[in-house]
Amino acid sequence: MKKFNFRKVLDGLTAASPVGSSGGGSGSGAGGSVHPGGTAGAAGTPREEIQETLTSDYFQICKTVRHGFPYLPTALAFDPVQKILAIGTRTGAIRILGRPGVDCYCQHESGAAVLQLQFLINEGALVSACADDALHLWNLRQKRPAILHSLKFNRERITYCHLPFQSKWLYVGTERGNTHIVNIESFILSGYVIMWNKAIELSTKTHPGPVVHLSDSPRDEGKLLIGYENGTIVFWDLRSKRADLRAYYDEAIHSVAWHHEGKQFMCSHSDGSLTLWNLKSPNRPFQTTIPHGKVQRDGKKPESCKPILKVEYKTCKNSEPFVVFSGGLSYDKPCRRPSLTIMHGKAITVLEMDHPIVDFLTLCETPYPNEFQEPYAVVVLLEKDLIVVDLTQTNFPIFENPYPIDIHESPVTCTEYFADCPPDLIPVLYSVGAKHKKQGYSNKEWPISGGAWNLGAQTYPEIIITGHADGSVKFWDASAITLQMLYKLKTSKVFEKQKVGEGKATAEIVEEDPFAVQMMYWCPESRIFCVAGVSAYVIVYRFSKHEVNTEIASLEVRLQSEVEDIITPEPETNPPFPDASSQLPSLKSLSGSTNTVACEGTMKDSIPCLSVKARPVRMPPGYQADLVIQLVWVDGEPPQQITSLAVNSAYGLVAFGNCNGLAVVDFMQKTVLLSMGTLDLYGSSDPYQRQPRSPRKSRQFAAGLTELSDSPVSLELERCKSPTSDHVNGHCTSPTSQSCSSGKRLSSADVSRANRRGPGRPPFRKAQSAACMEISLPVTTEENRENSFSRSRSSSVSSIDRDSKEAITALFFMESFARKNDSAVSSCLWVGTGLGMVIILSLNLPASDDSRHSEPVVVSPSGTVLTLKGAVLTFACLDCMGTLTHQPYEVWRDPHSADDGDKTRKRKLVMHSPSSSQDMGDHQFAVICSEKQAKVFSLPSQTCLYVHNITETSFLLRADVVTLCNSVCLACFCANGHIMTLSLPSLRPLLDMNYLPVTDMRIARTFCFTNEGQALYLSSPTEIQRLTYSQEMCDNLQDMLGDLFTPVETPEAQNRGFLKGLFGGSGQAFDREELFGEATAGKASRSLAQHIPGSGGIEGVRGAAGGVIGDLTRARIALDERGQKLGELDERTASMMASAEAFSKHAHEVMLKYKDKKWYQF
């Protein structure tokens, strides 16, 4: 534990350096040293030692869990005894699912697509076949599965695999038509090979094509059915090494399924037909049907349909068999959706799907292929969904899916993560969200119920919020590394539906997904929720448990920067920063201009992008729109997208900015307090001596001026103005009031949605010195975003020739010292810009709660301007003891509570965090982080105590001040993939790990940190990846994860009966070991496949957990295995004893019966 004495630090500083700097940081962030600098002011000198408890030992990064639907799925497998499901993907990932809470993600290092998955049923293992022609054996008897063995084929391509139940020999079919056999235990290739030219008839002149199916006969395990693509079927006798029979069909085969008695099998073909074959007459199928084909009148064969890609043939003891297949629809209905067909007796049911079918499996009661299958459900894997159909009910309802696989229902555009939030939020959100759940699901329990999971030691509540392209917002319960949807909010409901062809009339700036959520800001304590949309609007929501029918309040805001590209100011007439008296006449002359040029021709002006519903709207319990703020077109120029957003419930204010300027709105009085270009926010405090812009010569000011004033001294002048002159309900009534009343009240008729530079800010701001920030939305412009990301970014502030486009990148409401000579904290708004400027605005709020709804809030510049390198990302405030100071908030109360008819109930405000002293001390620390560096200032002296240059060659995408282990730190995510943490307030580097390469904009847009060492990002368009940077959580992760394998007794096979055993084939006597082992079959060619040992099993646990945790895990696995074997041995011994006792008793009875009889009496 290191102590930092600020007094000693400050005593050694010189008064000449206002800002300290550190040595050049490397691209990774390492190398930026903590370097104190600045002037030691008496007011800013801390009088106590700050003890920093966090050290590098507290930090470690590891992935925890992945939620959502597996991206680009390719394969499906199910263990009918363990009842767990595995899904393989095109990116080489495997997701294994069991009961809710049991969800495991594995990844092949090669990244090759998964072609097929096969469980070793009830063995705790899984075989994966990949597109790089490698087979892998995964050990599932540990919480983090690992590869035990791999086998890489060098000369042949794998097309199909089959592992018989309770067998250790895996059949592998290849593209050349050969069938190889692999020993699962050793993962070594057997010398036994079924060559394609031996399998087909010698007279056949053409190659049969790749192997598309392999399965052993349910009657006789010594017989193997091989299906070739061109329609050839071979029934191979493994003992005699020859074909028992061959069948030919003139259409390509896609799949084959056995009847459980092993006398018949069914094939699906490329012409949409199903053929049923009998082993006794293989010359032709004894039944051919095209289920969806139209029957021809002249008796000809029904017309061909689309291929049936897969068929399953499952028998029932007390009813007709089920035939389930995908595809096979008629060609004459091109618009029909992908479908699954279920044939049960004469009934044919077609289930239409929303997405293409990747694979499906029929779940049956028994794992034995030679028994009545008794199917009870069908798992259907779609390209973007997972559906389970209940076969036990005649209408085939689907099961309600307990997994969070609908994250991507509409593409995710932004995310927020809140750990350790108020505990009452989750049940409250669930109660309002449960009322909107769909009905009509199956009443049976979810059939994928394997594994085991418990809550673990982590008990604090966590909530994840996702914003989507269709305007919806989803709240998720993320506690204890699970994910469950609580509540869904549709923000588009406040707007009128867009009709086709009205795009120009409604002035849309986004053609596709105009309601896409771009930013979100949530205050969990007050339950205020704010959304910024891509169509330049902000919606403020309040939470209520009561339904209400009311009109939606709305404001329109003009926020446009006046740019002069041609006209340049004349230096002799416009000196930089003239005093207020010299500028006064020009301001008065502006007041005479009237609304003479509102719209020229078809030029759009004062038109919002979307239309808010004007009629009363029914709002169900939950989040209800309180105010909609829309930016409008100005003189033919569309509103710019919002780049920053902040809300404060205690102040009743929402602030947002874009590349043109800043707007502040009072959402309690529904008035605009400020709407101003960024340059005008500086007043006379602009550190860059920019020449003032000349008045427009091409046109007069229109009604509702774009800015409050074109003069840089307007803020100073406004201080003497009356806050209520010429204002009605916060709207300017004349151009005079618009231009002149800019500073004191700072109200203008325009406000735009904004984004706090916190969790919801746009990740990639392109801070070219004076260019407008481009915040493109994710859904339709992925390529553009990736291209823009790769371009170099300059955060230099030396080029200010086009000085009109300084974007607002961060906003923060706080009780702090606004000026150097302040003796007490006051309400402030901290504003950060794309050029690294920090401007502090003072907020003068009505003193009493009674007058809050009537008296105006006054926003005025404090004159304080601080500077950093690069666009400002985030703010935070520490008290004099180094404790994080939370923003003031209003304690939540239901706005529509039945027991509160009048709305005069007093607001309960919390102005300081509970951990801080009530008087906040006589100083505080402001933490400011930009995309290049972090600084800690002492307030009110504004002394820069510490600087850390985080990176020189890259830039930060995300920075958050978070709490960890009852302390506080700054967590940063850099564009070069590094995750870093810095101590506060001293900015010592604690962690720097090159962990996550930013391969696309999605990661950058959705990455966010939260308290307790947790973070998340969207790892694919359909999946959320959570990770931790806390050593404690890494150590405890094994206890939090679910168990994939639980000891379950394999069900006993049914008694086959005497006659079936006598005449049902010799399958029971088949010894694969004798046939495929090295002694009989010899060794396979070394060049054919290469064995690669894996790191799984007991050895693999060492990688999953270290120290005592690992030892305990290994011991537990060994005990489980030993206990299971002992249990099986005990059962076998008991069975043998019972059998011996019965035999002894029977023998004794026989002896007594025949004891006294003569030989001729027998």
Side-chain angles (χ1 to χ4, degrees):
M1 185 182 298
K2 192 170 181 180
K3 296 182 180 180
F4 289 85
N5 190 319
F6 286 144
R7 180 183 293 174
K8 291 179 182 177
V9 170
L10 293 172
D11 286 344
L13 303 178
T14 62
S17 172
V19 176
S21 62
S22 67
S26 69
S28 67
S33 59
V34 176
H35 188 92
T39 306
T45 306
R47 295 171 177 77
E48 303 88 6
E49 290 185 351
I50 305 291
Q51 286 192 342
E52 294 186 0
T53 57
L54 291 180
T55 64
S56 58
D57 296 335
Y58 283 78
F59 296 92
Q60 176 63 41
I61 295 183
C62 68
K63 293 179 180 177
T64 54
V65 68
R66 183 171 293 209
H67 303 297
F69 181 76
Y71 184 54
L72 300 175
T74 54
L76 186 65
F78 182 71
D79 186 325
V81 179
Q82 287 289 321
K83 295 192 183 300
I84 55 176
L85 187 80
I87 300 173
T89 74
R90 199 179 301 170
T91 58
I94 298 176
R95 284 282 290 284
I96 304 170
L97 303 169
R99 69 176 66 247
V102 178
D103 186 342
C104 182
Y105 168 81
C106 322
Q107 175 69 48
H108 293 93
E109 287 185 8
S110 66
V114 178
L115 297 179
Q116 198 176 350
L117 295 171
Q118 289 264 311
F119 275 105
L120 277 67
I121 295 174
N122 205 25
E123 296 290 338
L126 176 73
V127 175
S128 60
C130 296
D132 60 349
D133 306 307
L135 295 172
H136 306 276
L137 178 65
W138 294 84
N139 178 19
L140 307 184
R141 293 185 180 229
Q142 55 195 58
K143 293 191 175 184
R144 295 267 189 174
I147 293 177
L148 285 165
H149 301 282
S150 296
L151 189 67
K152 179 80 166 64
F153 281 74
N154 297 322
R155 294 184 302 188
E156 296 199 52
R157 309 218 63 181
I158 298 171
T159 56
Y160 194 87
C161 298
H162 170 64
L163 180 66
F165 179 46
Q166 294 181 326
S167 166
K168 68 174 185 178
W169 298 93
L170 175 73
Y171 302 112
V172 182
T174 68
E175 196 174 46
R176 291 186 181 179
N178 302 325
T179 302
H180 300 275
I181 300 168
V182 177
N183 186 315
I184 288 296
E185 292 177 348
S186 62
F187 239 58
I188 294 174
L189 212 56
S190 167
Y192 192 112
V193 185
I194 305 172
M195 304 298 289
W196 68 271
N197 55 353
K198 299 287 180 67
I200 64 172
E201 286 184 328
L202 294 175
S203 59
T204 306
K205 296 180 180 179
T206 57
H207 189 278
V211 175
V212 295
H213 178 82
L214 292 168
S215 61
D216 53 336
S217 166
R219 297 183 74 201
D220 186 354
E221 295 171 348
K223 303 289 178 68
L224 186 69
L225 189 72
I226 308 172
Y228 295 94
E229 190 180 64
N230 73 346
T232 301
I233 300 163
V234 175
F235 197 49
W236 184 264
D237 188 327
L238 292 166
R239 298 183 195 83
S240 61
K241 299 182 182 179
R242 62 182 179 81
D244 266 10
L245 62 88
R246 299 179 179 91
Y248 301 94
Y249 195 70
D250 53 4
E251 293 290 342
I253 293 176
H254 284 284
S255 71
V256 182
W258 279 101
H259 187 282
H260 82 275
E261 291 180 348
K263 299 175 183 177
Q264 301 173 1
F265 60 87
M266 182 179 287
C267 300
S268 70
H269 300 277
S270 56
D271 64 344
S273 64
L274 295 173
T275 55
L276 196 59
W277 300 77
N278 196 313
L279 292 180
K280 292 183 178 178
S281 54
N283 295 329
R284 61 186 181 86
F286 77 86
Q287 184 179 322
T288 302
T289 56
I290 301 182
H292 295 296
K294 287 185 178 179
V295 180
Q296 305 293 340
R297 290 182 180 179
D298 51 5
K300 291 182 180 178
K301 180 182 174 183
E303 63 179 22
S304 297
C305 293
K306 295 176 183 176
I308 295 178
L309 301 178
K310 183 175 181 179
V311 64
E312 293 210 338
Y313 187 23
K314 302 298 180 183
T315 53
C316 303
K317 196 168 189 177
N318 300 317
S319 68
E320 296 287 329
F322 280 90
V323 176
V324 184
F325 62 88
S326 61
L329 294 180
S330 174
Y331 279 109
D332 65 353
K333 295 181 180 177
C335 297
R336 285 193 66 172
R337 295 189 292 178
S339 66
L340 184 81
T341 303
I342 301 172
M343 299 171 62
H344 187 215
K346 294 182 179 179
I348 298 180
T349 305
V350 178
L351 304 178
E352 292 191 337
M353 304 294 170
D354 293 330
H355 309 284
I357 296 173
V358 175
D359 198 358
F360 73 88
L361 287 173
T362 309
L363 309 188
C364 301
E365 297 289 353
T366 176
Y368 295 93
N370 58 354
E371 298 177 357
F372 281 105
Q373 298 298 287
E374 304 295 347
Y376 60 89
V378 180
V379 179
V380 188
L381 178 64
L382 309 178
E383 276 189 5
K384 294 185 178 180
D385 204 355
L386 180 71
I387 289 173
V388 183
V389 181
D390 185 355
L391 292 181
T392 62
Q393 299 181 45
T394 53
N395 59 338
F396 302 131
I398 64 170
F399 289 87
E400 184 175 7
N401 198 319
Y403 309 133
I405 60 169
D406 57 347
I407 292 172
H408 63 286
E409 186 178 15
S410 174
V412 177
T413 55
C414 56
T415 57
E416 296 285 357
Y417 192 5
F418 298 87
D420 206 9
C421 51
D424 60 332
L425 277 174
I426 289 176
V428 163
L429 287 169
Y430 183 79
S431 66
V432 296
K435 297 173 183 176
H436 304 289
K437 287 199 171 182
K438 295 178 181 177
Q439 305 297 321
Y441 290 112
S442 170
N443 54 12
K444 300 285 182 68
E445 286 191 10
W446 181 251
I448 305 163
S449 55
W453 178 78
N454 55 14
L455 222 59
Q458 180 184 327
T459 55
Y460 53 82
E462 301 171 70
I463 290 179
I464 292 172
I465 309 177
T466 54
H468 299 264
D470 64 354
S472 62
V473 175
K474 294 180 180 178
F475 291 75
W476 306 83
D477 176 8
S479 308
I481 68 170
T482 62
L483 197 69
Q484 181 182 8
M485 196 170 89
L486 296 171
Y487 172 67
K488 182 178 179 180
L489 171 68
K490 295 181 179 178
T491 64
S492 60
K493 285 192 171 182
V494 304
F495 299 106
E496 298 286 0
K497 289 184 179 179
Q498 302 298 308
K499 295 179 181 177
V500 181
E502 286 191 1
K504 294 182 179 178
T506 54
E508 285 186 23
I509 58 173
V510 180
E511 291 182 5
E512 191 174 349
D513 299 322
F515 306 114
V517 177
Q518 193 170 359
M519 294 170 191
M520 301 178 293
Y521 192 108
W522 190 44
C523 176
E525 289 81 11
S526 65
R527 304 185 189 174
I528 291 284
F529 182 63
C530 198
V531 168
V534 71
S535 296
Y537 62 81
V538 168
I539 310 174
V540 180
Y541 286 92
R542 290 181 183 271
F543 188 85
S544 174
K545 295 180 180 179
H546 304 280
E547 182 176 313
V548 66
N549 202 328
T550 183
E551 290 189 6
I552 301 170
S554 64
L555 289 175
E556 293 181 359
V557 176
R558 296 170 68 86
L559 190 63
Q560 196 77 4
S561 190
E562 299 272 341
V563 188
E564 287 296 336
D565 295 327
I566 303 173
I567 304 170
T568 55
E570 299 175 9
E572 65 273 14
T573 57
N574 286 327
F577 304 105
D579 58 23
S581 60
S582 65
Q583 192 70 13
L584 194 58
S586 65
L587 285 174
K588 287 185 176 179
S589 66
L590 287 177
S591 67
S593 66
T594 57
N595 186 12
T596 54
V597 189
C599 291
E600 299 175 6
T602 59
M603 182 184 293
K604 299 186 183 77
D605 187 71
S606 301
I607 304 173
C609 301
L610 302 170
S611 301
V612 179
K613 290 179 179 177
R615 61 187 182 279
V617 177
R618 186 189 74 85
M619 299 181 187
Y623 274 105
Q624 300 168 350
D626 188 55
L627 177 64
V628 180
I629 310 158
Q630 288 185 282
L631 292 183
V632 295
W633 289 66
V634 179
D635 299 332
E637 295 183 20
Q640 298 298 317
Q641 292 183 357
I642 291 163
T643 57
S644 55
L645 174 68
V647 188
N648 190 279
S649 56
Y651 301 160
L653 302 180
V654 55
F656 54 91
N658 60 12
C659 63
N660 289 329
L662 170 71
V664 181
V665 171
D666 182 341
F667 64 79
M668 295 179 71
Q669 295 188 29
K670 309 290 191 292
T671 58
V672 180
L673 301 179
L674 173 90
S675 173
M676 177 175 285
T678 311
L679 297 188
D680 297 321
L681 293 172
Y682 291 103
S684 58
S685 306
D686 191 347
Y688 300 101
Q689 298 301 306
R690 321 175 213 225
Q691 290 185 334
R693 291 161 289 167
S694 63
R696 289 199 176 248
K697 297 178 183 178
S698 58
R699 62 175 183 264
Q700 298 293 324
F701 279 82
L705 296 177
T706 17
E707 321 162 301
L708 301 179
S709 168
D710 219 28
S711 161
V713 296
S714 59
L715 295 180
E716 301 295 328
L717 176 68
E718 178 54 30
R719 293 184 185 178
C720 61
K721 287 284 178 185
S722 162
T724 54
S725 61
D726 291 323
H727 284 271
V728 178
N729 294 330
H731 290 272
C732 300
T733 55
S734 71
T736 311
S737 63
Q738 178 80 28
S739 59
C740 294
S741 62
S742 54
K744 170 92 173 190
R745 174 72 187 270
L746 293 179
S747 24
S748 116
D750 83 342
V751 167
S752 152
R753 58 189 169 137
N755 176 23
R756 97 177 138 159
R757 198 70 215 109
R761 74 186 177 291
F764 274 84
R765 288 164 301 306
K766 305 201 329 185
Q768 298 99 334
S769 24
C772 174
M773 288 200 187
E774 298 178 10
I775 314 294
S776 55
L777 214 90
V779 196
T780 57
T781 56
E782 194 73 31
E783 286 186 14
N784 296 339
R785 277 200 316 280
E786 291 184 17
N787 295 338
S788 68
F789 170 61
S790 62
R791 290 203 288 266
S792 63
R793 298 159 38 98
S794 166
S795 46
S796 160
V797 290
S798 58
S799 165
I800 317 183
D801 47 346
R802 296 190 302 139
D803 57 359
S804 60
K805 297 286 187 181
E806 183 177 359
I808 307 295
T809 58
L811 294 166
F812 187 66
F813 288 103
M814 194 63 234
E815 294 282 301
S816 66
F817 299 93
R819 301 173 183 83
K820 278 191 177 182
N821 54 358
D822 283 0
S823 58
V825 295
S826 59
S827 304
C828 298
L829 173 60
W830 290 62
V831 181
T833 76
L835 297 185
M837 300 292 107
V838 176
I839 307 160
I840 303 179
L841 300 180
S842 292
L843 308 173
N844 189 356
L845 299 162
S848 66
D849 186 57
D850 298 334
S851 57
R852 177 62 185 87
H853 284 275
S854 55
E855 293 186 16
V857 177
V858 179
V859 184
S860 58
S862 65
T864 300
V865 176
L866 308 173
T867 60
L868 288 86
K869 283 198 301 183
V872 179
L873 297 184
T874 193
F875 297 104
C877 191
L878 308 180
D879 65 12
C880 57
M881 300 301 295
T883 306
L884 183 64
T885 305
H886 295 289
Q887 297 185 56
Y889 64 88
E890 176 190 359
V891 177
W892 176 78
R893 56 173 184 165
D894 198 322
H896 306 298
S897 178
D899 59 354
D900 187 33
D902 59 339
K903 296 189 177 181
T904 58
R905 191 168 43 151
K906 276 203 168 186
R907 301 164 68 221
K908 184 180 179 183
L909 305 182
V910 178
M911 301 306 286
H912 309 298
S913 62
S915 59
S916 304
S917 59
Q918 192 62 28
D919 60 359
M920 295 287 291
D922 58 355
H923 67 275
Q924 60 182 190
F925 306 109
V927 182
I928 309 173
C929 186
S930 74
E931 59 186 9
K932 292 288 185 181
Q933 67 178 185
K935 286 187 177 183
V936 174
F937 292 90
S938 177
L939 300 179
S941 67
Q942 297 176 14
T943 304
C944 179
L945 296 176
Y946 289 95
V947 182
H948 182 70
N949 283 345
I950 297 172
T951 176
E952 292 290 343
T953 58
S954 187
F955 55 95
L956 292 188
L957 300 169
R958 180 75 185 216
D960 288 303
V961 175
V962 294
T963 57
L964 177 69
C965 300
N966 297 317
S967 192
V968 62
C969 65
L970 175 65
C972 308
F973 175 50
C974 193
N976 59 17
H978 283 247
I979 293 177
M980 294 159 276
T981 58
L982 305 173
S983 70
L984 290 177
S986 65
L987 297 177
R988 285 179 299 115
L990 298 173
L991 171 75
D992 184 355
M993 184 177 289
N994 187 4
Y995 186 71
L996 179 68
V998 182
T999 52
D1000 56 42
M1001 277 296 302
R1002 182 185 58 254
I1003 295 174
R1005 191 180 63 247
T1006 57
F1007 195 101
C1008 52
F1009 296 99
T1010 188
N1011 299 330
E1012 308 302 333
Q1014 301 216 60
L1016 66 78
Y1017 62 94
L1018 215 65
S1019 56
S1020 74
T1022 63
E1023 294 168 289
I1024 288 175
Q1025 177 67 59
R1026 289 165 69 178
L1027 55 98
T1028 180
Y1029 50 95
S1030 160
Q1031 179 69 60
E1032 181 185 8
M1033 189 167 179
C1034 287
D1035 293 340
N1036 296 331
L1037 187 57
Q1038 284 292 319
D1039 296 331
M1040 300 166 66
L1041 296 172
D1043 289 295
L1044 293 172
F1045 179 81
T1046 53
V1048 179
E1049 188 177 345
T1050 303
E1052 289 187 8
Q1054 293 177 5
N1055 190 355
R1056 303 183 68 200
F1058 175 74
L1059 291 176
K1060 283 191 177 180
L1062 191 63
F1063 302 109
S1066 55
Q1068 299 301 316
F1070 178 61
D1071 187 354
R1072 294 188 179 93
E1073 182 69 39
E1074 182 182 343
L1075 198 58
F1076 303 145
E1078 189 177 319
T1080 307
K1083 289 184 179 180
S1085 169
R1086 288 187 178 180
S1087 61
L1088 184 60
Q1090 175 188 359
H1091 176 259
I1092 305 166
S1095 60
I1098 294 293
E1099 297 77 20
V1101 178
R1102 296 191 184 100
V1108 179
I1109 301 290
D1111 294 337
L1112 288 173
T1113 307
R1114 288 191 290 275
R1116 193 178 72 183
I1117 290 176
L1119 282 172
D1120 283 348
E1121 292 176 348
R1122 185 168 177 267
Q1124 192 177 356
K1125 288 176 182 176
L1126 285 173
E1128 291 174 357
L1129 181 63
D1130 190 44
E1131 288 173 6
R1132 264 190 253 124
T1133 305
S1135 176
M1136 289 173 66
M1137 287 178 65
S1139 177
E1141 188 177 347
F1143 180 77
S1144 172
K1145 185 179 178 182
H1146 185 64
H1148 185 69
E1149 288 175 354
V1150 171
M1151 185 268 292
L1152 292 176
K1153 182 178 179 181
Y1154 298 105
K1155 181 179 178 182
D1156 299 323
K1157 292 190 178 182
K1158 304 294 183 184
W1159 63 269
Y1160 52 81
Q1161 292 177 314
F1162 283 104

